[in-house]
Amino acid sequence: MKNPFLLSGCAVLAAALSAGCGHLSLDTEGDPHRILAGTVQFSDKTVLPPDAEVRVSVVDQAPPPPIAGNADTLNAMPMLNRPNSPAATPGPEVLGDQTIKDPGSPPVPFRIEYLASDDRLRRGVAIEVRVSYGGKVRFINATQYSVTLSDVSDFHPIWVEPAQ
């Protein structure tokens, strides 16, 4: 004797259990070798002297902390006979930079090759610009510019302002 309620109940249960599979991402990881291209723009008609240097950097402001130890020590209870020392949080990490000497008249084009995984670009990385001459930093980008996974291949014009 067949029970139609048992068969339909199993079908509903199977549909409910397989409904969560729609959120799985099966995309492949992109190539981590990236290129950032753009120009350094000045707000006024600035003339750069011959000893000027323009440094453009791609910086990860908050890289993930390194994992120390193996799987056995990560989940182990702390030792009571040793003082606890907090893990050092890493500082900003420069992923790539370019220094342009005697850049000529603005705008100054740049092209930086760097390594960044898709996960790192989902969080975003910053672009920092320093223009120096006469032994001092004269211009910086006061506005933060970032590169994310959605605009990684775009052209990036970066505006600099006089340093305070």
Side-chain angles (χ1 to χ4, degrees), residues 33-37 111-114 152-154:
H33 298 277
R34 314 284 180 167
I35 295 175
L36 176 72
R111 182 179 185 274
I112 302 170
E113 295 179 9
Y114 64 101
V152 70
S153 61
D154 293 350

Side-chain angles (χ1 to χ4, degrees), residues 80-92:
L80 297 177
N81 60 355
R82 286 189 291 173
N84 270 344
S85 61
T89 57

Side-chain angles (χ1 to χ4, degrees), residues 79-130:
M79 300 282 286
L80 297 177
N81 60 355
R82 286 189 291 173
N84 270 344
S85 61
T89 57
E93 180 183 352
V94 177
L95 304 175
D97 65 344
Q98 179 185 17
T99 302
I100 305 159
K101 297 182 185 228
D102 191 15
S105 61
V108 179
F110 63 87
R111 182 179 185 274
I112 302 170
E113 295 179 9
Y114 64 101
L115 289 173
S117 65
D118 285 352
D119 186 45
R120 185 173 279 198
L121 287 174
R122 281 185 196 98
R123 291 190 320 264
V125 294
I127 304 171
E128 292 182 356
V129 177
R130 303 280 185 263

